[in-house]
């Protein structure tokens, strides 16, 4: 009997996926082949449908096997003819490797039926088109995050407020030590609100690179840019940095 192992992945939001990935796009699976050199991966031939960042690879390696002969929640079971939204980074591997922790989402199965996260994927694709238009070249090897407690307390001051925009995006420039050097409003709520948000992000928020650990001193390249997004819930009249799947 095959053993089943849980796949433990860090929670990476769409903004950081865009930041750290070398390629993001919607692809169709054109062919699947077992990998004779490494039985824990198989190969997929791809057809580009839409690219949000980078150059689409003709092939990728996928965690698992064509016949799913070992059981693991990290395995990515794809089928010929399916369409997927994928995020992949270089990792010095050729071709690229895709696993569950890379956050792939099945859009359509081989019969054209929508995947269970189709609605979420469509939201992500709208965001990715915006990112592609306004910041096509941003990249970092490290994710960028801020202290969630401080951010939550700041955003509480906007409870009960209504805004015409459902989202706002801010392009933040950092130096190597995660100090903010510049913030540009890409798509804001209002001039006054945006000024308040920029003041918080630049002077009060605590930023760190990589996954959070106590005394994290990870540095980044000079003038690393990151798109920070806030979501307005018109029903609850709240602001949040987190997109909740619907």
């Amino acid at each position: 009997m095959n053993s089943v192992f849980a796949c433990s992945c860090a929670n990476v939001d769409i903004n950081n996926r865009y930041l750290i990935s070398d390629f993001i796009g919607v692809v169709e699976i054109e062919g699947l082949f077992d990998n004779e050199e490494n039985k824990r991966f198989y190969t997929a031939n791809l057809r580009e449908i839409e690219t949000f960042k980078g150059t689409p690879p003709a092939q990728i390696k996928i965690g698992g096997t064509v016949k799913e002969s070992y059981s693991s929640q990290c395995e990515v079971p794809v089928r010929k003819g399916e369409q997927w939204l994928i995020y992949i980074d270089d990792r010095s591997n050729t071709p690229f490797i895709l696993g569950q922790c890379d956050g792939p989402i099945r859009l359509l199965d081989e019969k054209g039926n929508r995947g269970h996260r189709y609605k979420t994927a469509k939201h992500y694709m709208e965001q990715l088109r915006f990112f592609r238009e306004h910041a096509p070249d941003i990249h970092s090897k490290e994710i960028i995050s801020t202290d969630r407690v401080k951010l939550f307390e700041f955003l509480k001051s906007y409870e009960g407020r209504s805004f015409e925009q459902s989202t706002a995006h801010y392009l933040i420039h950092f130096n190597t030590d995660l100090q903010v050097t510049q913030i540009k409003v890409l798509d804001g709520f209002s001039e006054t609100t945006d000024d308040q948000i920029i003041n918080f992000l630049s002077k009060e928020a605590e930023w760190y690179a990589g996954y959070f650990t106590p005394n994290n001193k990870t540095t980044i390249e000079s003038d690393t840019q990151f798109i920070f997004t806030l979501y307005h819930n018109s029903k609850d009249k709240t602001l949040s940095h987190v997109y909740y799947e619907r």
Side-chain angles (χ1 to χ4, degrees), residues 122-167:
K122 295 295 284 185
H123 165 78
Y124 287 164
M125 290 162 64
E126 290 177 6
Q127 295 288 82
L128 290 165
R129 291 185 185 106
F130 183 91
F131 298 165
R132 179 181 62 192
E133 178 182 354
H134 291 89
D137 300 319
I138 65 173
H139 191 271
S140 173
K141 293 182 179 180
E142 303 287 352
I143 68 170
I144 294 177
S145 303
T146 189
D147 185 306
R148 289 181 177 271
V149 175
K150 281 192 173 184
L151 178 61
F152 176 76
E153 290 300 320
F154 170 73
L155 295 179
K156 281 176 64 176
S157 64
Y158 293 94
E159 289 182 358
R161 297 271 303 276
S162 295
F163 300 98
E164 293 184 6
Q165 296 277 114
S166 61
T167 58

Side-chain angles (χ1 to χ4, degrees), residues 211-227:
Y211 299 101
F212 178 75
T213 56
N215 301 313
N216 183 353
K217 300 297 182 181
T218 304
T219 59
I220 55 177
E221 292 187 9
S222 179
D223 199 35
T224 293
Q225 300 172 45
F226 175 65
I227 300 175

Side-chain angles (χ1 to χ4, degrees), residues 227-238:
I227 300 175
F228 180 84
T229 301
L230 288 175
Y231 300 94
H232 174 240
N233 186 319
S234 58
K235 182 179 180 181
D236 298 335
K237 294 184 178 180
T238 56

